[in-house]
């Protein structure tokens, strides 16, 4: 049996566009995801987040579900265009901020601490029309938005994440065209997006810090996670190099290209070769801004790559065995990713780690008897939490775990075809049904133990 520390933060995670709905209500203007959703063929089944889980109208019900788990924290994001309909800080939408007041107060009243992500991909369309993250003012727009949010919520919200998975909104959104805003930029332009997004991050960290003492500020990137085939020093070193020195043929999923500037104030040189030569020349003070100190390293980990040391010590990917388990996303089930990912990140960056997302999609539905049985999710969470506990036992500074997600929700380009929730949502009528995994997770949270 493995025990978690007393003060371990147990949570669940969600994001605005994936759950809120009310896309055109109370003064909210479209985000790039509303626009992309309207494009034929962009989202599975032609779906949109216009209604999603309708969480906008179900604040108390959802807060009850979260509190019913016994978790101490809930991570959610703010819809930028709900708060600032023009994207910039001139016109503040009171109704939008009122909604987040209700969310925050609802959680606090139930003993749950709000953890707020400022940007989880739903960029205001009005700003995208001006060039989005390619615009020279985009870092400032983001910092101004952060200021409006912290001004209103900062007396009650003390835990913040700036950007969610820049690897995804840049890679899928600006390079591969699979996520909003659906662009296929050149590498040079996409790296400018990266630089500006990181500048926005740094400026926002300063805004949040300036607001009040005692706020905890971090971010929630993703990136390649590697785990060693054996625990030999050579394989561990190979996994380390795979995570931090290489990016295969896809730079967009790199760890270091994003995190080195944020934590160390410099872009990596190493094996990135000509990727680096496409980076914009940082302006005076840019890297200082980008590396404004953060308090924690949030990381989203769902799967990892098994790596061993080749003859020459070079990292070699170990192929999965035949029939290796996969989730409904087709992502391989690789629990050691939740041991080695945090361990290697904590070692490199020297910051406390929070798992800001982990979970799996399964193909569950409401049974004839009204129950939702999702043994695959229970097993997935069990295996991954054992690895988290093992890492903590071995001295890795992991302070919390946020399961993705409390509710089945709008899974981006997959629409409603992929269910990640502890709670089943009937998207015809919004009915919520806690799954078996909900009760299982509640047990883990209340006992603080896994593994028997
Ligand atoms: C992550 C996203 C999150 C959700 C999960 C399944 O990449 O941050 O919004 O879609 O994947």
């Amino acid at each position: 049996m493995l025990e978690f520390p007393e003060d371990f933060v147990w949570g669940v995670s969600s994001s605005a566009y994936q759950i809120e709905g009310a896309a055109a209500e109370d003064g909210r203007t479209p985000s790039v995801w509303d626009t992309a959703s309207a494009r034929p063929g962009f989202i599975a089944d032609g779906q949109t987040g216009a209604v999603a889980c309708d969480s906008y109208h179900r604040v108390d019900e959802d807060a009850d579900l979260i509190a019913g788990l016994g978790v101490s924290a809930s991570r959610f994001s703010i819809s930028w265009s709900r708060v600032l309909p023009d994207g910039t800080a001139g016109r503040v939408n009171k109704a939008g901020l009122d909604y987040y007041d209700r969310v925050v107060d609802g959680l606090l009243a139930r003993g749950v601490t709000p953890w707020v992500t400022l940007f989880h991909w739903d960029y205001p369309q009005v700003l995208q029309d001006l060039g989005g993250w390619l615009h020279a003012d985009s870092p400032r727009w983001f910092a101004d938005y952060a200021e409006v949010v912290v001004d209103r919520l900062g007396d009650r919200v003390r835990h913040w994440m700036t950007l969610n998975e820049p690897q995804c909104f840049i890679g899928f959104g600006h390079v591969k065209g699979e996520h909003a805003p659906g662009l296929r930029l050149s590498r040079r332009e996409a790296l400018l997006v990266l630089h500006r997004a990181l500048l926005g991050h740094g400026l926002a960290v300063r805004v949040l810090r300036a607001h009040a003492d005692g706020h905890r500020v971090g971010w929630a990137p993703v990136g390649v996670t590697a785990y060693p085939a054996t625990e030999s020093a050579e394989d561990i070193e190979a996994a380390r190099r795979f995570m931090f020195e290489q990016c295969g043929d896809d730079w967009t999923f790199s760890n270091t290209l994003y995190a080195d500037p944020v934590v160390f104030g410099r872009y990596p040189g190493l094996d990135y070769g000509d990727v680096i030569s496409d980076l914009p020349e940082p302006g005076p003070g840019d890297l200082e801004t980008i590396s404004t100190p953060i308090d924690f390293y949030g990381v989203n980990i769902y799967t990892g790559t098994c790596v061993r040391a080749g003859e020459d010590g070079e990292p070699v990917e170990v192929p999965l065995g035949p029939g290796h388990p996969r989730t409904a996303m087709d992502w391989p089930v690789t629990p050691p990713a939740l041991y080695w990912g945090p361990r290697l990140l904590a070692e490199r960056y020297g910051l406390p780690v929070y798992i800001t997302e982990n979970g799996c999609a399964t193909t569950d539905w409401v049974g004839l008897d009204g129950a939702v049985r999702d043994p695959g999710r229970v097993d997935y969470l069990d295996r991954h939490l054992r690895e988290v506990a093992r890492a903590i036992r071995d001295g890795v500074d992991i302070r919390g775990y946020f399961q993705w997600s409390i509710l089945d929700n709008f899974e981006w380009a997959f629409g409603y075809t992929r269910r990640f929730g502890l709670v089943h949502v009937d998207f015809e009528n919004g009915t919520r049904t806690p799954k078996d995994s909900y009760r299982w997770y509640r047990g883990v949270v209340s006992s603080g133990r896994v593994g028997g």
Side-chain angles (χ1 to χ4, degrees):
M1 190 173 53
L2 290 154
E3 297 214 15
F4 287 85
E6 277 285 310
D7 56 355
F8 190 72
V9 174
W10 290 104
V12 280
S13 206
S14 69
S15 92
Y17 193 67
Q18 295 180 275
I19 63 166
E20 287 178 5
E25 266 177 67
D26 292 342
R28 180 185 180 278
T29 56
S31 75
V32 293
W33 273 96
D34 297 277
T35 313
S37 298
R39 271 208 236 158
F42 202 81
I43 312 283
D45 298 338
Q47 289 299 333
T48 78
V51 177
C53 306
D54 197 27
S55 291
Y56 189 78
H57 297 115
R58 294 171 180 258
V59 172
D60 284 326
E61 187 179 358
D62 288 352
D64 282 344
L65 284 166
I66 293 168
L69 279 170
V71 292
S72 55
S74 171
R75 171 179 180 245
F76 60 93
S77 78
I78 308 277
S79 156
W80 185 338
S81 62
R82 196 182 287 294
V83 170
L84 297 175
D86 303 322
T88 50
R91 190 163 61 97
V92 177
N93 182 25
K94 185 178 172 304
L97 283 172
D98 287 349
Y99 165 63
Y100 294 109
D101 256 350
R102 293 197 295 280
V103 171
V104 165
D105 292 344
L107 291 171
L108 288 172
R110 291 165 176 82
V112 179
T113 303
W115 285 56
V116 168
T117 311
L118 287 170
F119 181 60
H120 200 125
W121 309 354
D122 44 355
Y123 200 78
Q125 183 61 46
V126 276
L127 296 184
Q128 190 61 43
D129 293 343
L130 299 176
W133 290 111
L134 278 173
H135 195 289
D137 293 341
S138 58
R140 177 45 54 205
W141 294 336
F142 181 60
D144 289 348
Y145 154 64
E147 178 120 46
V148 169
V149 174
V150 72
D151 263 355
R152 177 66 175 262
L153 302 180
D155 57 334
R156 287 151 293 152
V157 175
R158 312 184 72 76
H159 297 84
W160 303 91
M161 285 139 290
T162 54
L163 307 176
N164 181 71
E165 297 190 357
Q167 286 87 347
C168 282
F169 73 78
I170 294 172
F172 293 123
H174 291 79
V175 176
K176 297 168 196 157
E178 292 165 22
H179 278 188
L183 302 177
R184 290 172 199 271
L185 300 179
S186 67
R187 191 167 68 191
R188 188 170 287 274
E189 284 178 309
L191 287 166
L192 181 57
V193 167
L194 173 122
H195 187 68
R196 298 229 158 107
L198 295 185
L199 268 175
H201 156 87
L203 288 174
V205 174
R206 290 186 176 178
V207 163
L208 295 166
R209 285 225 181 288
H211 189 83
D213 285 343
H215 284 218
R216 311 290 295 165
V217 185
W219 66 334
V222 61
V224 173
T225 300
Y227 62 93
T230 72
E231 303 213 344
S232 72
E234 294 75 25
D235 284 353
I236 293 173
E237 178 57 16
R240 189 180 286 122
R241 290 181 58 191
F242 193 86
M243 263 183 90
F244 301 127
E245 290 184 16
Q246 300 194 337
C247 50
D249 35 12
D250 185 5
W251 64 265
T252 66
F253 243 67
S254 153
N255 289 294
T256 43
L257 206 46
Y258 300 77
D260 280 13
V262 163
V263 183
F264 302 142
R266 58 172 158 73
Y267 283 104
L270 22 117
D271 299 346
Y272 286 99
D274 60 340
V275 175
I276 292 299
S277 66
D278 274 346
L279 270 169
E281 186 57 41
D286 279 9
L287 287 164
E288 241 167 65
T289 303
I290 290 173
S291 60
T292 304
I294 52 176
D295 301 301
F296 64 88
Y297 199 105
V299 64
N300 299 347
I301 300 178
Y302 289 88
T303 188
T305 304
C306 183
V307 171
R308 68 173 173 82
E311 301 277 287
D312 48 2
E314 285 298 302
V316 175
E317 226 179 295
V318 179
L320 298 170
H324 186 94
R326 288 174 182 269
T327 69
M329 290 298 272
D330 208 28
W331 296 344
V333 179
T334 56
L338 239 60
Y339 177 91
W340 287 100
R343 176 166 158 171
L344 296 175
L345 287 166
E347 172 193 278
R348 182 177 182 86
Y349 294 117
L351 287 165
V353 171
Y354 289 86
I355 311 297
T356 35
E357 288 181 25
N358 170 251
C360 70
T362 53
T363 53
D364 33 54
W365 61 85
V366 182
L368 280 173
D369 60 356
V372 183
R373 297 191 181 80
D374 56 343
R377 175 168 294 99
V378 170
D379 187 73
Y380 176 99
L381 296 176
D382 195 354
R383 288 175 189 269
H384 286 76
L385 281 168
R386 288 180 196 209
E387 295 292 322
V388 175
R390 190 164 73 87
I392 296 171
R393 191 197 58 196
D394 289 356
V396 182
D397 189 6
I398 308 177
R399 307 263 178 101
Y401 173 91
F402 292 78
Q403 188 273 345
W404 181 276
S405 181
I406 178 66
L407 301 172
D408 288 342
N409 59 49
F410 177 79
E411 181 45 39
W412 309 114
F414 290 96
Y416 299 99
T417 65
R418 298 292 187 278
R419 295 179 178 272
F420 275 89
L422 296 174
V423 176
H424 179 276
V425 177
D426 181 334
F427 293 104
E428 301 284 346
N429 53 32
T431 302
R432 275 90 161 124
T433 310
K435 303 178 188 178
D436 283 357
S437 58
Y438 177 95
R439 284 174 281 275
W440 180 86
Y441 189 49
R442 181 168 62 198
V444 171
V445 172
S446 74
S447 68
R449 289 179 186 155
V450 281

